[in-house]
Amino acid sequence: MVCGEDLDSYSSMITADNLCKKYGSLVAVDGISFAIQKGEMFGLLGPNGAGKTTTITMIVGALRPDSGTITIDGEIDPTRNSVRRKIGTAPQALAIYDDLTAEENLFFFGRLYNLSGKLLRDKVDWALSFAGLTLRKKDKVKTFSGGMQRRLNLVSGLLHDPPVILMDEPTVGIDPQSRNQIFDSIEMLKKEGRTIIYTTHYMEEAQRLCDRVAIIDQGTILALDTVDALIRQYGGQPTVEVEFTSTPDKHVKFPGDLTGNKLRAKTDKPLEVLAQISATGIEFQHVGIERADLEAVFLQLTGKKLRD
Amino acid sequence: MSTIFHIAMKDLLLLWRDKAGLFWVLGFPLLMALFFGSIFSSSGGTGSQSAMKVAVIDNDQSDQSHEFVTQLGEIDALSVSSMSADSAKQMVRIGKLIAFLQINNGFGESFGFGGEEGSELLELGIDPSRTAEGGFLKGMLSQAFFQSMQSSFSNLSQSVNLQERLSAIKKDTTLTPADRDRIRAVLTNLSGLFGALQQDTSGIDSGADSASTENAMSGPKFKMVDISLQRSGPRSSWEITFPSSILWALIGVCASFAISIVIERTKGTFLRLRLAPITRTQILAGKGLACFLASVLAAVLLLAFAAVVFHMRITNPLGLIAAVIAASFCFVGLMMLISVMGRTEQAVAGAGWGVLLVMAMLGGGMVPLFVMPSWMQTMSNVSPVKWGIVALEGAIWREFTFGQMMTPILILVAVGIVSFAIGARVISRQEG
């Protein structure tokens, strides 16, 4: 049990209990536990090599854990076909065929889930539309941009309408515009009530998309909570920054540290601090509140930056 | 089953779109067949790196025939063995011997020169796939023939001493002039014949061809025996080169699909397949089915090309179907085994082509088996390429019996099963 997670496999959509995986002497995953509720979007945030992909690969049943159990919608064996039909996956690698067209890829993957006929046709049309690829459906994947390939990679795992979706770094290596398109798509899926696990090493993605985030490093979960709670607990106080038009008289009392005409004050109540400064009557030309983020949380927890 | 079919169709579509891969599957084998077929069809002879295996059936059992066989055995380029006529024909038919030579009754009495047209005293049956060596072989047989004749006559001349006899006959007053003239004429002709023999045979070396030998003297006449059971016309070199080309096609398919498996594994599509509600067995079966269908299709296209363009005849269609299926199955297994020889596309491509080229080289896919040293011919038994060629040739022109067909087919199937099982096992272990 980690970070006070209450593992209730009966009410949770996904439960991982004390998962461990070693490759020789390398411990890839070391006792990871969490429970994800139905409709929740759960982030696994950590640097490359932290154990995110190994964890997600065990959850989908493609890798057997050395120990620990996984429960998905009440079923404990993710390799069972009944469980696999509930899971959609967007692997980190572009798991699509370059020499097939977008449409051919989708038809092929749909057939693997026993879709056929009009239902398959409708699902493929929906997926093409969802990925914004309808106009390019007859083109081979190898002619697509990185962002288009990523979107096709995502929807290839959604044809069978899975209630659980696992996305392993789905925005790696793409431009900001495509990234935003994918974010929009993910948010739509979330609104539809699907349960989503999202791994990333981009803190802003976790911050924007995830209801809860597990910060993972060296195979263990260091912290798990909502983004706000994590920041509150590990990110430190917000900082108020004020730049005065001139250097204030040294006899005036300010909260925080004054250097020249710049003031920095760490506080849990930034608005009250701003009111105090305003009450001095001294003019200022710039004011801002710097809030802690997950980067700061990670730095606090590990002593290193997320992308070190 | 439908899942396996869908996976197979996807892989065939990918192969169809891979023009480079398609070249190795169809284009290259066809070029090989055309190239070597043209060479063999126009070639008058070829060098030999190992002794030609020839069976001798001595039905005459005369001193002359024994001497002839002895002289054959002394030629380094020949490996001579004695056996029954049926065994010899069978061995030639299945490619174990290059030829058989049958010495008929009357050979000794006529010093080998007898025999009317159609009733020659020497019968020669040559493996149709070795016709390029036929002239070379006839040259060596003629050489042995003349040497045996010379040996016989030189023994005779030593004991009789023709010149002394001629002098004695001149002085013999007991003979009538007419008898003396007749005997002198005979001995003079014999003396001249020995001189001619010494002159002609001294000019024959192991590289001499039959034409020069036969021109030097009206030498032995061979009755050429067709070793096929029911052949109604001449065979062509295409019947030799197209079986090899089919094996090259299977090698191309094998390499392409082995590489495609490792690409799927490294790219992640294999993982996506595994996450679908299908078993690993279905995935591998789909891959195997695609490889099998591509192999059979390539073989059928090449056979159809040979039949339409070169009028290649197939003597045993059912045997050919069995041979194509067995060879394709074998290479499906090898495909699976080769796909686990590395973890990257480059590693599998390198290892795969390395292994397959060695198999092709040992198995007669590059250099015909008959020009290989004997130790290499023995080693060729480990190559599935050899058994594939043997099975195809057995059905196309060697007219193998059912039992003879079963040997290469069972070997091919066994290699396929073992290879597939090992490859699938390794993939299962590696994929967790």
Side-chain angles (χ1 to χ4, degrees):
Chain A
M1 199 83 71
V2 173
C3 301
E5 267 287 275
D6 182 14
L7 300 183
D8 183 352
S9 58
Y10 293 100
S11 63
S12 303
M13 192 66 170
I14 303 170
T15 306
D17 186 10
N18 204 25
L19 293 181
C20 292
K21 184 69 187 177
K22 284 184 182 177
Y23 295 104
S25 60
L26 175 72
V27 181
V29 171
D30 188 11
I32 280 182
S33 299
F34 54 78
I36 304 170
Q37 301 304 308
K38 186 178 180 184
E40 182 180 8
M41 183 150 180
F42 184 83
L44 282 173
L45 178 68
N48 292 327
K52 307 186 296 293
T53 298
T54 304
T55 301
I56 212 168
T57 309
M58 287 191 287
I59 291 171
V60 297
L63 190 63
R64 199 183 301 278
D66 294 336
S67 62
T69 57
I70 296 155
T71 309
I72 295 176
D73 200 16
E75 296 192 72
I76 58 168
D77 183 2
T79 63
R80 292 172 62 174
N81 284 352
S82 57
V83 179
R84 287 189 164 164
R85 287 182 201 284
K86 294 176 182 174
I87 302 174
T89 311
Q92 185 174 347
L94 288 168
I96 45 182
Y97 296 100
D98 292 345
D99 279 316
L100 298 185
T101 66
E103 193 176 45
E104 286 168 343
N105 267 286
L106 293 170
F107 271 112
F108 171 67
F109 290 123
R111 288 190 186 105
L112 296 183
Y113 287 85
N114 280 340
L115 300 176
S116 60
K118 185 176 183 306
L119 178 61
L120 176 59
R121 173 82 257 176
D122 290 345
K123 290 289 183 186
V124 168
D125 287 343
W126 168 84
L128 288 167
S129 172
F130 191 74
L133 294 172
T134 303
L135 295 176
R136 299 288 305 273
K137 66 181 180 182
K138 299 287 186 190
D139 293 338
K140 286 184 185 171
V141 169
K142 65 184 176 188
T143 66
F144 287 4
S145 68
M148 293 163 79
Q149 292 184 355
R150 278 279 158 207
R151 273 143 45 203
L152 181 63
N153 190 46
L154 173 61
V155 296
S156 293
L158 304 179
L159 290 159
H160 57 294
D161 203 14
V164 174
I165 302 169
L166 293 95
M167 301 181 190
D168 192 5
E169 309 225 18
T171 61
V172 167
I174 59 172
D175 58 274
Q177 189 183 354
S178 291
R179 180 173 295 179
N180 283 330
Q181 275 184 284
I182 289 179
F183 287 167
D184 292 343
S185 302
I186 293 169
E187 282 169 341
M188 284 175 66
L189 294 170
K190 188 180 167 187
K191 279 180 190 166
E192 290 171 1
R194 301 178 203 252
T195 307
I196 300 171
I197 296 184
Y198 187 97
T199 78
T200 182
H201 61 269
Y202 296 120
M203 61 164 186
E204 59 272 25
E205 291 185 3
Q207 217 157 337
R208 171 176 169 174
L209 296 169
C210 298
D211 299 315
R212 287 192 305 151
V213 172
I215 294 179
I216 182 170
D217 190 36
Q218 295 181 338
T220 59
I221 290 179
L222 304 176
L224 191 165
D225 213 325
T226 63
V227 173
D228 286 341
L230 285 172
I231 291 171
R232 264 200 312 274
Q233 189 172 355
Y234 302 102
Q237 297 169 308
T239 303
V240 174
E241 287 186 336
V242 178
E243 189 178 349
F244 298 105
T245 51
S246 58
T247 303
D249 189 326
K250 61 177 75 168
H251 299 295
V252 180
K253 294 284 183 189
F254 291 110
D257 301 322
L258 181 67
T259 307
N261 66 337
K262 290 182 180 175
L263 176 73
R264 281 177 63 85
K266 284 188 176 295
T267 175
D268 288 328
K269 298 173 179 174
L271 292 178
E272 288 183 15
V273 170
L274 280 176
Q276 270 183 279
I277 294 167
S278 181
T280 62
I282 301 172
E283 288 186 5
F284 49 84
Q285 56 187 7
H286 172 78
V287 65
I289 300 172
E290 191 180 273
R291 195 165 180 263
D293 57 18
L294 287 174
E295 182 74 55
V297 172
F298 192 81
L299 184 65
Q300 172 70 21
L301 287 168
T302 66
K304 60 188 180 187
K305 290 187 175 179
L306 194 53
R307 291 173 205 178
D308 279 350
Chain B
M1 189 61 202
S2 67
T3 302
I4 295 171
F5 176 76
H6 292 316
I7 293 172
M9 289 301 108
K10 177 264 297 175
D11 281 326
L12 289 176
L13 182 59
L14 287 172
L15 176 65
W16 176 249
R17 293 200 176 148
D18 178 9
K19 300 306 175 199
L22 213 54
F23 169 77
W24 291 109
V25 169
L26 277 178
F28 178 71
L30 187 59
L31 288 176
M32 288 279 285
L34 296 177
F35 179 70
F36 285 108
S38 302
I39 288 176
F40 291 154
S41 63
S42 60
S43 171
T46 181
S48 178
Q49 301 300 312
S50 64
M52 296 180 182
K53 292 179 182 173
V54 177
V56 174
I57 307 109
D58 185 359
N59 291 335
D60 190 46
Q61 295 295 332
S62 62
D63 290 343
Q64 282 70 28
S65 66
H66 290 159
E67 181 62 27
F68 182 31
V69 174
T70 302
Q71 291 297 334
L72 283 173
E74 289 179 359
I75 296 176
D76 290 340
L78 292 180
S79 171
V80 179
S81 55
S82 296
M83 61 182 71
S84 70
D86 287 343
S87 298
K89 287 177 183 175
Q90 198 55 33
M91 295 284 273
V92 174
R93 189 173 291 124
I94 63 174
K96 296 281 188 188
L97 299 173
I98 180 177
F100 72 85
L101 176 71
Q102 183 167 300
I103 305 170
N104 290 331
N105 289 330
F107 179 86
E109 286 178 11
S110 64
F111 285 98
F113 287 104
E116 300 295 324
E117 188 70 33
S119 60
E120 291 84 351
L121 296 172
L122 294 174
E123 293 184 16
L124 182 62
I126 300 178
D127 181 343
S129 70
R130 315 283 290 272
T131 49
E133 298 164 290
F136 182 59
L137 178 63
K138 281 183 185 174
M140 286 190 289
L141 295 178
S142 296
Q143 175 190 348
F145 174 80
F146 286 125
Q147 283 174 341
S148 68
M149 295 299 294
Q150 183 183 15
S151 175
S152 298
F153 282 118
S154 65
N155 290 339
L156 183 64
S157 67
Q158 281 172 6
S159 63
V160 175
N161 195 334
L162 291 175
Q163 296 303 324
E164 288 178 10
R165 283 283 179 184
L166 279 168
S167 301
I169 285 168
K170 278 182 185 175
K171 297 169 187 170
D172 191 342
T173 54
T174 61
L175 292 171
T176 65
D179 288 343
R180 188 182 298 123
D181 289 343
R182 284 192 201 103
I183 293 170
R184 281 177 62 192
V186 168
L187 292 178
T188 303
N189 285 340
L190 273 175
S191 180
L193 175 60
F194 298 153
L197 280 170
Q198 284 174 336
Q199 189 178 1
D200 291 332
T201 54
S202 64
I204 298 169
D205 58 26
S206 60
D209 62 16
S210 64
S212 63
T213 306
E214 289 177 20
N215 287 338
M217 187 170 181
S218 179
K221 288 178 181 167
F222 297 104
K223 178 183 179 184
M224 298 307 295
V225 179
D226 189 343
I227 61 113
S228 297
L229 294 174
Q230 297 175 341
R231 266 176 54 185
S232 58
R235 297 289 185 186
S236 72
S237 58
W238 310 111
E239 293 176 357
I240 313 304
T241 57
F242 268 86
S244 296
S245 78
I246 289 170
L247 265 296
W248 275 107
L250 301 192
I251 286 171
V253 172
C254 176
S256 294
F257 277 89
I259 293 168
S260 83
I261 286 185
V262 77
I263 289 175
E264 291 230 33
R265 294 176 72 192
T266 53
K267 272 207 68 180
T269 46
F270 195 83
L271 175 65
R272 193 187 280 287
L273 295 179
R274 286 187 54 208
L275 298 182
I278 56 177
T279 63
R280 201 189 326 254
T281 304
Q282 285 176 302
I283 298 171
L284 297 181
K287 282 278 172 197
L289 179 62
C291 182
F292 178 79
L293 292 176
S295 300
V296 171
L297 191 63
V300 168
L301 288 175
L302 287 167
L303 287 169
F305 184 90
V308 171
V309 178
F310 299 113
H311 309 294
M312 187 179 82
R313 283 172 293 107
I314 294 159
T315 55
N316 183 355
L318 284 178
L320 183 61
I321 291 170
V324 168
I325 288 173
S328 299
F329 182 80
C330 175
F331 278 84
V332 168
L334 290 172
M335 176 273 294
M336 195 58 68
L337 183 61
I338 288 168
S339 74
V340 298
M341 286 183 169
R343 288 188 177 263
T344 64
E345 181 183 349
Q346 292 79 5
V348 169
W353 276 112
V355 169
L356 290 169
L357 287 179
V358 169
M359 280 184 185
M361 189 177 68
L362 280 178
M366 288 180 179
V367 179
L369 287 169
F370 60 79
V371 300
M372 293 179 182
S374 57
W375 62 269
M376 217 166 159
Q377 290 183 24
T378 305
M379 278 184 68
S380 71
N381 289 330
V382 303
S383 170
V385 172
K386 172 188 174 168
W387 297 109
I389 291 175
V390 167
L392 290 168
E393 287 186 348
I396 291 173
W397 59 266
R398 287 188 189 274
E399 301 183 15
F400 275 8
T401 62
F402 176 78
Q404 290 167 335
M405 282 299 294
M406 288 309 289
T407 302
I409 284 174
L410 287 177
I411 290 171
L412 290 167
V413 170
V415 171
I417 290 172
V418 172
S419 304
F420 194 96
I422 294 172
R425 174 81 183 137
V426 173
I427 287 179
S428 297
R429 209 176 54 194
Q430 288 177 346
E431 293 289 324

